Structure formats: C-alpha cells, structure tokens
Amino acid sequence: MIKTDILIIGAGPTGLFAVFEAGLLKLKCHILDALPQAGGQLSELYPKKPIYDIPGFPEVLAGDLVDNLMEQIKQFEPGFTLGERAETIDKQEDGSFIVTSNKGKQFHASVIAIAGGLGSFEPRKPLIDGINFYEDKGIKYFIKNPEKFRDKKVVIAGGGDSALDWSIFLSNIASEVTLVHRRNEFRGALDSVDKVQELKNAGKIRLITPAEVIGINGAEHIESVVLDENGAQRTIATDYFIPLFGLTPKLGPIGDWGLEIEKNAIKVNNALDYQTNIPGIFAIGDVNTYPGKLKLILCGFHEATLMCQAAYQIINPGKKYVLKYTTVSGVDGFDGTRKEAPKAVVKAIV
C-alpha cells in the first residue's frame, strides 16, 4: 500500500501544480492517472499546440508547459502511478481514505484531490467488428514503449497531432510505417504535416488517403488490416494497428463514490476551498463545477492553491500556517535542495 498525505487523482496541469503548492506546506503527494504519461489532455491531445493564457508566458507549447511543471515539482519527489484508474474508495475511522485502482493497487491518504480534468480518458475506438478481441493482441490505443515496435510493421490511423507525431517517431524504429486517414487534409501542427510529407517522399512512411480501416485479420494476433480506399477494399500486412482518434472523457467509477454530481462534473464549495460534499475529498480543475466556473488552466492553478491550504488544516489540525512569499522564504525540496533569491550584499560606500 502506498501512503501519502494527499492522493491526487489526475496528472494534468492542475494536479501537477497541486504537488508544488502542497510541497510548500511540507505535504507529500502521490499522483494516480489512467493515462500512461503525465500531462493529461496537454500531453495526449495537443502537446505541440500553443497556449496563450498562462500568466507570464505570452505563448507556450502544451508539451513544454507539462515539462516545466514536472521540473517545478521535482524537488518535492511526488510518486506517480500511471496507466491505472481510481476504482473504489473506503473511508477509514480516522477520516483518512483508501483508494483502490482497477489493477488492485491501494493508496492510503489523509486527503483526496480529484484533478481528473474532464474525467478519466478512454480511447475513441473505431467501429470495427471484433476489435475487442485484438486488444493486447496487436491493437494499441496508447504508445508506452516505442521499442516494442522496433523492426515491426505498424499501421497508424488518424489525422491529428498524435497520429502525425507517432508516425514520424516510429519511422526510425519500425520496419514499416503506414499512416491511414479518411481525408487528404490533416489537422495537426504544420511542421509535423511537412515532416510526414518529407518522410513519405523519402519512402520512410507509406501514406494512404483518403482511406479507412474497416477490418482486422489474424488468428491469435493481428496479421493484417482491411482498408476501404475510395470504395475499394485493400489488405495490408501488419504486426500492430494503432488507432489514434483522440480520447473520450468519462467521470468513470468516481461517479459512484457518493459525490454530488451535476452535468457530469463534481459540485464543490468554491466560497472556501473546493471541497466536495464528502469532507476530505476535494475536486479541482475542469472536473469540478460551481457558479461562475471557468474551465481554464489558470483557474485550476488557483483552485489547487486554496485546496492545499485546506488540506494542511485537515492533516495538521490546530496548527497554524503562516503564508510566506517564495521570494522571501525560498523553496526547500524534500530531496534536500533549496531554491532562494541571492542574499543582499551588505557593503559600505566610502
């Protein structure tokens, strides 16, 4: 069992920043997320798209913002359990909680902070007969370990950033990469589209458009996929089929925890600390709702800050915390490091 002060469910920007604010209060965090990497939607859906409304950043790529947040919290040594979904919760006699994941892993925490964005994300699966049979038998909705595809034949379907980026990346690993899209036009970063064009011209990516994967063949593992290309069927041999059609947000099992839900979002007390109707459980970021709610990253940062202040009082009852600006107090990491402004030099002028 993993023990921590705050269990943060969701590794998006709000959940990551909560680690920093908790760290300033000497509170330890562990993050649980159903996606295979940190960053939530920023990493999974649009890592190369710019964001313009982060204070202090006139423009920052979504993936770079995630990298910066990960660097910012490194001092506080958060634990990560990725690729697992929060399934059940049990409140203990002392007011703490035990959360169990869909893979049976357990987490014991004094406070729960649900920062799951729009919920747990599940892949949008293409409507292909028998597709469930081939899951873990050649179909991959996420790429966790690119080395798995070394010297293999891979078919990728999709027309967004993920499909473009992984086609480019795997062109140097797989023996053969085929990118299939139902349109000739791609909705992705211009440099990625240009790179795919370049790799296609060099014979490193086979591009088939407009086309759609409509069938899968294979006894125990995928052996080929069937394409519909302008009304004509075509079969392509492959070891792996990777459909990248985005993610569908779902509140998932958290919706059965007894929390007050409104329009698939968790109601919170925004007048104070973003606590839910269950004491000790907070909801921050896009997953919550309250009058005037705005689903913006910067609002999630604010909510995470106030949540951590309330969590401190739950974990340290009766103990007063005196707010100090980091420019004055510095930042002491759990790893023994310290960040602080340079000391003023005292020197007489003669």
Side-chain angles (χ1 to χ4, degrees), residues 168-344:
I168 295 167
F169 190 88
L170 293 179
S171 68
N172 293 315
I173 294 176
S175 63
E176 183 179 287
V177 174
T178 301
L179 176 59
V180 179
H181 184 38
R182 59 185 177 180
R183 299 187 183 92
N184 293 321
E185 300 80 21
F186 288 83
R187 298 177 66 88
L190 184 59
D191 61 334
S192 297
V193 176
D194 290 342
K195 184 64 176 177
V196 167
Q197 180 70 60
E198 179 185 320
L199 291 169
K200 172 183 177 281
N201 295 342
K204 297 198 70 176
I205 290 178
R206 176 166 53 178
L207 183 63
I208 304 178
T209 61
E212 197 169 354
V213 177
I214 60 170
I216 304 171
N217 300 317
E220 297 299 325
H221 193 278
I222 285 180
E223 296 174 6
S224 64
V225 294
V226 181
L227 305 186
D228 181 333
E229 188 177 1
N230 291 319
Q233 289 194 4
R234 175 179 177 184
T235 300
I236 296 179
T238 190
D239 299 303
Y240 289 97
F241 173 42
I242 309 172
L244 298 173
F245 298 131
L247 304 170
T248 300
K250 293 184 178 179
L251 201 52
I254 290 175
D256 300 322
W257 285 7
L259 300 166
E260 192 173 352
I261 308 294
E262 183 179 284
K263 296 181 179 179
N264 206 43
I266 302 170
K267 291 186 71 174
V268 296
N269 173 11
N270 68 303
L272 188 59
D273 53 16
Y274 305 97
Q275 197 159 191
T276 68
N277 59 304
I278 300 178
I281 300 181
F282 299 77
I284 54 177
D286 288 358
V287 76
N288 74 16
T289 186
Y290 52 84
K293 169 69 180 182
L294 292 177
K295 293 187 177 184
L296 297 173
I297 294 173
L298 62 93
C299 294
F301 290 167
H302 164 77
E303 293 166 10
T305 304
L306 296 188
M307 178 279 295
C308 287
Q309 296 289 323
Y312 180 86
Q313 295 302 325
I314 291 174
I315 296 168
N316 301 288
K319 189 175 180 181
K320 188 176 181 181
Y321 172 74
V322 179
L323 176 66
K324 294 181 181 178
Y325 301 116
T326 55
T327 49
V328 176
S329 64
V331 179
D332 291 306
F334 297 159
D335 57 359
T337 61
R338 177 171 173 78
K339 295 178 180 178
E340 61 180 334
K343 299 291 185 182

Side-chain angles (χ1 to χ4, degrees), residues 131-149:
I131 191 170
N132 293 338
F133 173 79
Y134 292 100
E135 291 175 357
D136 294 327
K137 298 176 183 177
I139 283 188
K140 298 292 180 184
Y141 300 111
F142 302 108
I143 297 177
K144 298 182 182 179
N145 179 16
E147 281 297 315
K148 189 180 186 74
F149 307 101

